[in-house]
Amino acid sequence: MPAITLENEHLRAVFLPGLGGRLWSLVELSTGRELLHRNPVIQPANLALRDAWFAGGVEWNLGTTGHWALTCDPLHAAWVDAPYPVLRLYEYERMRGLVVQIDAALPPGSRALVVSVAVRNPRPESVPVYWWSTIAVPQTPGTRVLAPATLADHFGYAHRLTTVPYPGDPDVSRPGTWRAAADYFFHVTSETPWIAAVDAEGHGLLHTSTPRLRGRKLFGWGTSPGGDHWQRWLSGPRSPYLEIQAGLARTQLQHLALPGHTTWTWTETYRPLALPEPDAPYDRARAAVDVLVQASGQPETGPWTELPVTDVIHRGSGWGALERRAGGLPASAATPFPDDTLGAEQAPWLTLLEDGRLPGEAECVVGARWLALLRAAADPHGRYHLGLNLWSTGDRAAALDAWGKALAERRDPLVLRAVAEAHRIDGDDATAAALLLEAHALAPAVRPLTVETLAALLAAGRPADALTLIDRLPPGDRAHGRIRLLEARAALAAGERDRTGRILRDGLVVPDLREGEDALDELWFAYHGEERDLPADYDFRMS
């Protein structure tokens, strides 16, 4: 796996450019201590926006609520023309149409890894922006999380935001004592925002930033059987972790408006922390960190942001080059997106640019320039993408009109699926199920479409039809955990209890289980009743 290392006299930092540029390891050289949760496995799970996420290290989250869409995608990586090694990771984020640039450096003599971030909006219109640097650190029974705040917004899996004292009584600054998983979003009072996690001996990680990155958050899985199961699912046995995070807004339920043709920058530092009195009362321990933060001074904005790159060492996607070719992204020596990064994914869109038609299936691209080009494209697949672009602007009626014209020419499974989703959002489960059945008949080998069709049939009260479809699936699809879960639910709803019981007894593993999803425990209790204990292998409850 590609890895890029920065090192000075005090620290060694390792980045994974092929996996979202994740900062995977940060080691204090004098002690050999790993400051991050360096996961012993890379176990993909369905906790991000694209069923692609893994625990560990520092993840950069840009886009919309949740772990960012590029968390398992390659980024461009290059060295910067600077007096000492500066690593630049960058990419075009096509959900929001932004350029993200992450510069990391270990200047000579520095006891902190310095990370400067720039988020550029090249469009004329304002864009809603969400950013959180998500820092996974080891969790021990004595781990303590400190922040310059006396209040926090608590968010549990009852989905309510409540302002509470921090650390409060009982003391929630020690996540190893929690029963349930939770988020705490701090009301930060310091001019230099910071957050720290230390073990029982006072050793740990201190994160600081310039004021733009104002938000701070603590997330822990709790000690319930469900939280413990999630930890083992993601990191294997005996490898618990928690997350300390830094964001642009106070909570992760918010976005901030980034004006058109504007760049936001900030700088973060990651450094070892040694508290002389780790068991001191919370106020005194927090004050001790405050003193260290003030002594270190506020992080300075990295001087490298506008400097050009000299040596590209890892390739990301070709979407930035496509946007530049379309005239939506100015050329930049700081974040070059050359033509040689264009590939098969961008080829249909280049044809649209050059010939005014969109040949064959293409991945989704949205934006005003593409919308204008798609309005003139008369082919059915162009109309499908025209509908997606119109939907992204909020024009539901025009999107459905474009899809209707596409279906009048050809019954296409992707277009049928789009119309079905519109009906599902409107609460019309019967129409959604009928459309998805037609789409599935046209594309029976597309497993995600199979899953959506089965879920729609259950929502429409047609469990027997769901079982009929499952019985016709090839063995590979039938054996998939998500489809077996849907089969068990359909069988129970259709009165075929023995079929549900066999699936539960044989063992049901759902590889794409969502964070907070209660499907397994709901199925178990629906079959057995509330009096039967939930087996540990089925317990992913977060509350």
Side-chain angles (χ1 to χ4, degrees):
M1 179 168 296
I4 302 172
T5 299
L6 289 173
E7 185 170 333
N8 69 2
E9 311 95 297
H10 304 293
L11 295 168
R12 178 189 303 119
V14 178
F15 295 82
L16 303 182
L19 292 172
R22 185 82 59 105
L23 170 57
W24 190 238
S25 171
L26 185 61
V27 173
E28 183 182 26
L29 296 179
S30 62
T31 63
R33 185 177 289 113
E34 174 64 70
L35 303 178
L36 303 175
H37 168 55
R38 184 173 181 173
N39 200 332
V41 297
I42 292 181
Q43 169 62 59
N46 191 12
L47 277 73
L49 299 175
R50 295 169 60 202
D51 190 5
W53 183 83
F54 60 101
V58 181
E59 179 188 23
W60 322 107
N61 289 296
L62 171 68
T64 188
T65 304
H67 302 274
W68 75 324
L70 300 182
T71 195
C72 285
D73 274 19
L75 299 191
H76 299 278
W79 297 116
V80 175
D81 187 10
Y84 46 82
V86 176
L87 171 66
R88 176 164 297 158
L89 302 156
Y90 64 98
E91 185 53 279
Y92 177 70
E93 201 285 313
R94 57 194 171 111
M95 286 182 68
R96 297 298 193 194
L98 302 171
V99 175
V100 59
Q101 173 184 322
I102 302 159
D103 292 343
L106 279 170
S110 175
R111 295 184 179 273
L113 174 69
V114 182
V115 177
S116 293
V117 180
V119 177
R120 295 186 177 88
N121 178 8
R123 300 182 178 189
E125 65 272 12
S126 174
V127 173
V129 170
Y130 169 104
W131 175 282
W132 286 83
S133 302
T134 301
I135 308 158
V137 295
Q139 177 178 301
T140 66
T143 297
R144 193 179 199 185
V145 175
L146 307 161
T150 57
L151 296 174
D153 294 326
H154 170 265
F155 188 78
Y157 283 79
H159 299 286
R160 289 191 301 271
L161 199 65
T162 307
T163 301
V164 298
Y166 188 87
D169 185 16
D171 183 350
V172 296
S173 69
R174 301 181 187 273
T177 64
W178 300 357
R179 176 66 178 171
D183 299 322
Y184 287 90
F185 298 100
F186 296 107
H187 293 211
V188 172
T189 58
S190 173
E191 287 301 311
T192 300
W194 60 266
I195 190 168
V198 295
D199 61 20
E201 287 73 44
H203 297 290
L205 176 75
L206 171 63
H207 177 274
T208 67
S209 71
T210 46
R212 185 179 292 281
L213 201 68
R214 190 83 189 155
R216 291 298 185 274
K217 172 192 163 183
L218 160 63
F219 168 76
W221 289 101
T223 58
S224 69
D228 180 65
H229 195 187
W230 269 114
Q231 296 249 26
R232 288 185 284 111
W233 178 269
L234 295 168
S235 296
R238 298 176 298 281
S239 190
Y241 74 96
L242 58 89
E243 291 174 356
I244 54 176
Q245 303 185 17
L248 289 172
R250 177 183 288 176
T251 77
Q252 291 174 338
L253 306 180
Q254 301 163 271
H255 289 65
L256 302 182
L258 175 58
H261 301 305
T262 298
T263 299
W264 280 352
T265 61
W266 64 88
T267 296
E268 311 175 35
T269 67
Y270 298 77
R271 69 177 69 236
L273 176 62
L275 276 184
E277 295 182 86
D279 290 325
Y282 183 86
D283 287 348
R284 198 160 83 219
R286 184 185 64 206
V289 180
D290 258 325
V291 170
L292 292 172
V293 170
Q294 299 310 316
S296 300
Q298 189 177 93
E300 295 183 5
T301 301
W304 326 288
T305 303
E306 300 300 329
L307 294 178
V309 299
T310 57
D311 182 20
V312 176
I313 53 177
H314 193 268
R315 292 293 195 187
S317 79
W319 296 113
L322 177 70
E323 196 66 19
R324 179 183 53 76
R325 288 280 292 269
L329 197 62
S332 168
T335 54
F337 296 107
D339 282 353
D340 62 10
T341 60
L342 293 163
E345 291 176 323
Q346 292 79 41
W349 296 100
L350 287 172
T351 302
L352 179 66
L353 279 174
E354 295 164 1
D355 299 340
R357 61 184 181 86
L358 192 66
E361 294 187 2
E363 294 202 26
C364 182
V365 173
V366 296
R369 289 175 177 80
W370 299 110
L371 178 57
L373 289 167
L374 288 164
R375 287 187 189 277
D379 54 282
H381 204 67
R383 289 198 179 97
Y384 166 64
H385 280 277
L386 172 61
L388 293 178
N389 270 259
L390 290 165
W391 186 276
S392 76
T393 69
D395 194 341
R396 180 188 184 282
L400 287 170
D401 180 67
W403 292 330
K405 289 176 180 176
L407 290 174
E409 292 188 38
R410 186 179 70 203
R411 305 300 282 183
D412 181 273
L414 282 175
V415 182
L416 287 164
R417 187 263 176 184
V419 179
E421 182 68 4
H423 283 285
R424 186 197 67 79
I425 290 170
D426 285 346
D428 186 355
D429 294 325
T431 301
L435 289 165
L436 283 169
L437 271 175
E438 183 183 355
H440 183 266
L442 294 169
V446 180
R447 185 180 291 166
L449 185 57
T450 301
V451 169
E452 288 191 8
T453 304
L454 292 171
L457 289 169
L458 287 176
R462 299 172 60 181
D465 293 331
L467 293 175
T468 298
L469 190 153
I470 288 168
D471 289 339
R472 296 200 302 262
L473 293 176
D477 282 352
R478 267 207 83 169
H480 189 270
R482 176 62 63 176
I483 292 175
R484 293 186 73 230
L485 171 64
L486 290 164
E487 179 182 357
R489 288 178 54 203
L492 194 61
E496 298 187 27
R497 289 183 55 83
D498 289 347
R499 189 166 176 173
T500 301
R502 284 197 302 272
I503 292 171
L504 286 172
R505 287 191 298 272
D506 290 345
L508 179 57
V509 178
V510 182
D512 58 355
L513 199 71
R514 292 288 298 170
E515 180 183 2
E517 182 179 348
D518 295 326
L520 284 173
D521 54 281
E522 287 178 354
L523 173 66
W524 176 266
F525 291 124
Y527 178 78
H528 286 287
E530 296 293 331
E531 68 279 359
R532 282 286 296 274
D533 290 338
L534 182 66
D537 285 349
Y538 291 161
D539 194 344
F540 286 92
R541 293 173 294 183
M542 303 285 286
S543 58

